[in-house]
Amino acid sequence: MNKQDLVEKVAKKTDISKQKAAATVDAVIEAIKASLKKGDDVRLVGFGTFSVAQRSATTGRNPRTGEPIKIPASKQPKFKAGKELKKAVNKK
């Protein structure tokens, strides 16, 4: 499923126009990004938790030359599935 498919499903499920559904999906994504950017977690009970993990700087190797390269520290977004989502995925 891509974003357009999600917009269509939201529009159908909520009986709103695709334009309003697209704006709603975009608003949710922007709100999650803004919270993560501030360093806050986003917990959606039954669905999962979006969070930010700090990765420390490391040394890697260039696969072509074998030279060591420095990989800088960075923040990485993470998602941990909630109990209800895990159940839904594993339901037969």
Side-chain angles (χ1 to χ4, degrees):
M1 174 186 293
N2 61 30
K3 185 177 175 183
Q4 189 59 40
D5 295 336
L6 179 61
V7 167
E8 288 176 18
K9 287 187 184 264
V10 169
K12 188 174 181 182
K13 184 90 171 173
T14 59
D15 197 28
I16 61 175
S17 70
K18 285 184 183 178
Q19 279 184 321
K20 287 184 181 180
T24 302
V25 169
D26 288 339
V28 169
I29 291 169
E30 287 304 315
I32 291 171
K33 284 197 283 190
S35 290
L36 293 177
K37 189 173 182 178
K38 288 191 319 187
D40 297 337
D41 291 351
V42 178
R43 289 182 185 85
L44 304 173
V45 176
F47 183 71
T49 302
F50 295 91
S51 61
V52 177
Q54 182 68 38
R55 292 183 67 182
S56 56
T58 60
T59 302
R61 292 213 175 266
N62 181 329
R64 289 188 190 160
T65 64
E67 282 181 39
I69 56 172
K70 186 176 179 182
I71 302 169
S74 64
K75 294 178 183 177
Q76 300 292 316
K78 289 179 27 177
F79 176 76
K80 182 177 180 191
K83 185 177 179 180
E84 294 298 317
L85 180 58
K86 287 178 186 177
K87 271 188 193 177
V89 169
N90 288 304
K91 208 175 216 180
K92 293 183 181 183

